């Protein structure tokens, strides 16, 4: 019994690793990226604290009746702030020795004397300590799941003026103490709302399941809670494409897990071969990896060569001598992506059927051949869109019928390669030029991107840039209703660009 327990203990780490899903896409945010987020976040916190609502303060001391109302924050000094990673799933945000300037309306009644006016006050030595817990929700979206907050004010003083200034100075202890308490009690609720409501509405702009075009979509759901170290935050996404006709389809991931070791840039995004393979699998299942050229679309030089190559067959079918040619190129299996340190390539196998199409008669097939091609792929980032441009590297054809026919087709090797380069490749690159959006919040973009290839995956290192402020994005998207976290509602009409579901 002891031996079996010991064996189970030794195997437990292996079982845990085996049960963990391999990401197709991984994003790392470094301390440098967090510094940029802190600058924008600090502006957002200032805006939230300026909107603090403090309850009226009123009381009585003997014959003195006082009322403090219309409290407004006029200025904040949050110079000493810090935002840092805190393992395991947390972000810690601290503000030290800040000051908050206030202005409020005073009312005083003493026997028959009544005085009204305004008072300027200052809260100094303001300390705020918040910890945000990050987690994956049921829909696979990153969320702030909890926040803890502590706020304190070391000292507060008020400047009084007017005919009853001496009376106010006598009552300042009561007024200042009460205002200090009320203000400190409003800081954390304001930040709690800013985090759990407003910032989470910003995270709602990150696409989880979205349409790439009218044929396929992509699943960017998180596989697990974020992993936070002292210097980095890593997010593992499924990174799987799916055909829109089979949106619940799952493609098992057998690719190498992307590994990010760098920390010099603000953000790193890694994509495994699985990411690209699932895209090509989805297009293949959607039935769009086929191109037909007929009549005038067939290059004239190639048409002459094809008619000469199949002259005997065409002559035996004399009624079809003047019939137009038809070329149908059909991918026979999902293309496969290979990523090496030397570059990225895509292997494609396809059938090429060459036929005569007499008007009013069924097509007459002249030949059916196999094409095996290898495409070089240049992966680059533009804005938040990952794009791929392909070029033909290697190409060969052979007959499915016999080795003799394969030999006869040798003369077609060069012209068909030219056909692919000049006619087919532009069509393919036109379809992929829009790319696919990387899961970043709205208003945040990449700059200074550098793509690096590794064995089985590639990484994009970049810096971050806020094209819109947090407040602007929140105000723009906050009123848009979000789908329930348990399900995603897909639009019924296709979209030609990336569109969040």
């Amino acid at each position: 019994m002891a031996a079996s327990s010991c064996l189970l203990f030794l195997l437990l780490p292996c079982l845990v690793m085996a049960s963990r899903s391999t990401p197709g896409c991984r994003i790392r945010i470094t301390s440098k990226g967090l510094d940029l987020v802190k600058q924008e976040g600090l502006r957002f916190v200032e805006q939230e604290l300026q909107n603090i609502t403090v309850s009226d303060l009123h009381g009585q001391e003997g014959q003195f009746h006082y009322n403090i109302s219309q409290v407004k924050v006029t200025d904040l000094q949050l110079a000493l702030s810090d935002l840092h990673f805190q393992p395991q799933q947390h972000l810690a945000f601290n503000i030290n020795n800040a000051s908050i300037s206030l202005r409020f309306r005073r009312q005083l009644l003493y026997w028959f004397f009544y005085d009204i006016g305004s008072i300027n006050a200052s809260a100094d030595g303001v300390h705020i300590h918040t910890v945000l817990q990050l987690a994956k929700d049921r829909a696979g979206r990153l969320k702030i799941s909890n926040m803890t907050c502590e706020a304190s004010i070391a000292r507060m003083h008020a400047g009084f003026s007017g005919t009853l200034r001496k009376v106010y100075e006598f009552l300042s202890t009561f007024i200042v103490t009460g205002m200090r308490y009320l203000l400190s009690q409003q800081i954390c609720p304001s930040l709690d709302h800013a985090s759990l409501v407003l910032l989470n509405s910003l995270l709602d702009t990150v696409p989880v399941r979205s349409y790439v075009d009218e044929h396929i979509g992509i699943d960017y759901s998180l596989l697990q809670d974020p992993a936070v170290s002292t210097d980095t935050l890593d997010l593992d996404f499924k990174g799987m494409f799916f055909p829109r006709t089979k949106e619940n389809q799952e493609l098992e991931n057998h690719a190498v897990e992307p590994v990010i070791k760098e920390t010099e840039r603000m953000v790193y995004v890694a994509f495994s071969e699985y990411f690209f393979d699932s895209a090509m699998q989805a297009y293949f299942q959607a039935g769009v990896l086929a191109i037909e050229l007929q009549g005038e679309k067939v290059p004239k030089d190639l048409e002459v060569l094809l008619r000469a190559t199949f002259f005997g067959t065409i002559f035996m079918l004399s009624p079809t001598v003047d019939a137009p040619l038809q070329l149908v190129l059909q991918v026979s299996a999902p293309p496969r992506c290979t990523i090496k340190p030397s570059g990225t390539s895509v292997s494609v196998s396809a059938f090429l059927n060459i036929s005569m199409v007499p008007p009013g008669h069924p097509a007459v097939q002249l030949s059916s051949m196999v094409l095996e091609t290898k495409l070089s792929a240049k992966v680059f980032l533009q804005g938040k869109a990952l794009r791929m441009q392909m070029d033909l590297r290697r190409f060969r054809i052979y007959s499915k019928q016999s080795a003799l026919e394969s030999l006869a087709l040798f003369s077609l090797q060069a012209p068909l390669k030219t056909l692919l380069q000049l006619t087919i490749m532009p069509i393919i690159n036109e379809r992929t030029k829009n790319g696919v959006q990387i899961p970043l919040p709205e208003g945040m973009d990449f700059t200074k991107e550098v793509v690096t290839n590794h064995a089985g995956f590639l990484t994009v290192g970049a810096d971050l840039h806020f094209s819109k402020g947090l407040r602007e994005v929140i105000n723009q998207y906050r009123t848009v209703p979000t789908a329930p976290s348990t399900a995603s509602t897909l639009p019924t009409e296709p979209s030609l660009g990336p569109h969040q579901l």
Side-chain angles (χ1 to χ4, degrees):
M1 181 69 178
S4 62
S5 300
C6 182
L7 180 61
L8 180 61
F9 178 77
L10 293 175
L11 290 176
L12 186 58
C14 298
L15 294 175
V16 171
M17 289 297 293
S19 62
R20 190 173 66 88
S21 298
T22 303
C25 171
R26 173 174 289 166
I27 293 182
R28 163 169 290 183
I29 300 174
T30 67
S31 295
K32 291 184 179 180
L34 199 62
D35 288 341
L36 178 68
V37 174
K38 185 191 78 170
Q39 297 173 18
E40 183 63 31
L42 193 60
R43 285 192 287 268
F44 176 68
V45 169
E46 289 177 349
Q47 293 168 352
E48 285 301 300
L49 294 180
Q50 286 176 344
N51 295 324
I52 284 179
T53 301
V54 181
S55 303
D56 294 352
L57 177 66
H58 54 85
Q60 178 180 354
E61 294 296 329
Q63 298 301 321
F64 293 101
H65 299 262
Y66 60 89
N67 182 63
I68 302 299
S69 60
Q70 301 178 13
V71 181
K72 294 185 180 298
V73 176
T74 59
D75 186 46
L76 292 104
Q77 297 294 328
L78 308 179
L80 300 178
S81 62
D82 175 58
L83 177 65
H84 63 271
F85 297 118
Q86 181 175 307
Q88 304 282 328
Q89 302 162 222
H90 303 93
L91 289 176
F93 182 60
N94 299 317
I95 296 175
N96 296 310
N97 202 27
S99 64
I100 304 176
S101 299
L102 305 170
R103 186 177 180 86
F104 45 86
R105 185 172 183 268
R106 71 173 188 261
Q107 292 176 288
L108 176 67
L109 176 63
Y110 177 64
W111 291 101
F112 301 108
F113 297 97
Y114 180 68
D115 181 51
I116 61 173
S118 60
I119 299 177
N120 295 319
S122 176
D124 299 320
V126 180
H127 297 274
I128 304 172
H129 175 69
T130 59
V131 177
L132 306 178
Q133 182 174 0
L134 305 175
K136 174 182 76 74
D137 69 5
R138 287 180 293 177
R141 178 177 276 113
L142 178 67
K143 284 299 179 101
I144 300 172
S145 60
N146 191 28
M147 190 197 84
T148 59
C149 176
E150 298 176 0
S152 63
I153 300 175
R155 55 196 174 277
M156 188 166 185
H157 58 85
F160 301 96
S161 61
T163 56
L164 298 180
R165 180 172 58 86
K166 294 295 184 181
V167 176
Y168 273 102
E169 289 177 351
F170 171 75
L171 296 173
S172 65
T173 302
F174 305 101
I175 296 174
V176 170
T177 301
M179 286 301 301
R180 175 183 170 188
Y181 173 79
L182 291 176
L183 180 61
S184 63
Q185 292 299 303
Q186 293 301 315
I187 292 175
C188 284
S190 177
L191 296 182
D192 185 81
H193 176 266
S195 300
L196 299 181
V197 177
L198 300 184
L199 289 183
N200 273 337
S201 70
L202 174 70
L203 294 176
D204 282 337
T205 65
V206 178
V208 174
R209 286 177 65 88
S210 60
Y211 288 152
V212 177
D213 54 29
E214 65 268 36
H215 305 295
I216 68 171
I218 187 169
D219 188 334
Y220 270 133
S221 57
L222 279 172
L223 297 175
Q224 57 192 6
D225 291 334
V228 181
S229 70
T230 56
D231 300 314
T232 61
L233 182 149
D234 287 347
L235 301 166
D236 287 352
F237 298 91
K238 180 181 288 185
M240 185 198 76
F241 292 82
F242 56 87
R244 291 182 58 166
T245 55
K246 300 177 181 178
E247 293 178 350
N248 296 322
Q249 174 180 280
E250 291 288 333
L251 180 63
E252 194 170 351
N253 187 352
H254 298 290
V256 173
E257 179 174 342
V259 178
I260 304 175
K261 297 181 180 179
E262 299 85 355
T263 59
E264 291 78 15
R265 306 296 293 273
M266 291 184 182
V267 64
Y268 291 89
V269 189
F271 303 93
S272 74
E273 292 173 344
Y274 171 82
F275 180 87
F276 301 100
D277 283 346
S278 67
M280 292 180 285
Q281 171 94 8
Y283 274 123
F284 179 78
Q285 292 186 337
V288 296
L289 298 184
I291 296 176
E292 178 181 312
L293 302 177
Q294 182 174 323
E296 295 181 354
K297 293 184 178 180
V298 179
K300 198 64 180 178
D301 293 343
L302 179 61
E303 181 182 3
V304 172
L305 183 60
L306 289 175
R307 289 184 181 277
T309 302
F310 300 105
F311 175 78
T313 304
I314 297 174
F315 185 78
M316 294 297 293
L317 303 169
S318 56
T320 67
V321 170
D322 296 326
L325 285 177
Q326 180 190 65
L327 278 66
V328 177
L329 183 63
Q330 173 73 55
V331 173
S332 57
R336 287 290 175 259
C337 176
T338 302
I339 303 176
K340 296 180 180 180
S342 58
T344 302
S345 62
V346 178
S347 300
V348 184
S349 294
F351 296 134
L352 176 61
N353 294 324
I354 303 174
S355 305
M356 303 288 290
V357 187
H361 294 82
V364 179
Q365 182 171 297
L366 301 178
S367 178
S368 179
M369 61 187 75
V370 177
L371 279 70
E372 292 184 352
T373 63
K374 180 162 284 190
L375 311 176
S376 61
K378 179 184 177 183
V379 180
F380 60 98
L381 199 62
Q382 190 168 2
K384 280 191 292 190
L386 184 74
R387 301 183 177 183
M388 176 183 287
Q389 185 171 7
M390 290 180 280
D391 192 17
L392 184 62
R393 183 197 301 178
R394 288 190 308 199
F395 169 81
R396 77 183 187 98
I397 58 173
Y398 59 90
S399 172
K400 294 193 299 182
Q401 277 78 24
S402 66
L404 184 61
E405 186 176 5
S406 296
L407 184 62
L409 295 175
F410 184 78
S411 60
L412 295 177
Q413 183 92 13
L416 285 177
K417 184 176 181 180
T418 301
L419 171 70
L420 289 176
Q421 288 176 323
L422 299 181
T423 305
I424 308 302
M425 295 308 302
I427 296 175
I428 295 175
N429 287 324
E430 178 68 21
R431 289 184 177 179
T432 61
K433 74 174 184 179
N434 289 331
V436 60
Q437 183 180 349
I438 293 178
L440 277 185
E442 182 69 22
M444 187 179 291
D445 294 319
F446 295 106
T447 61
K448 303 177 183 177
E449 309 90 349
V450 176
V451 178
T452 306
N453 280 42
H454 304 272
F457 65 96
L458 60 85
T459 60
V460 181
D463 290 336
L464 292 172
H465 166 70
F466 279 97
S467 59
K468 299 179 182 178
L470 293 180
R471 173 67 58 185
E472 180 184 356
V473 176
I474 288 171
N475 290 341
Q476 180 179 355
Y477 289 92
R478 184 181 172 192
T479 56
V480 178
T482 57
S485 59
T486 55
S488 296
T489 303
L490 305 181
T492 56
E493 294 297 326
S495 172
L496 296 181
H499 175 71
Q500 186 173 336
L501 307 187

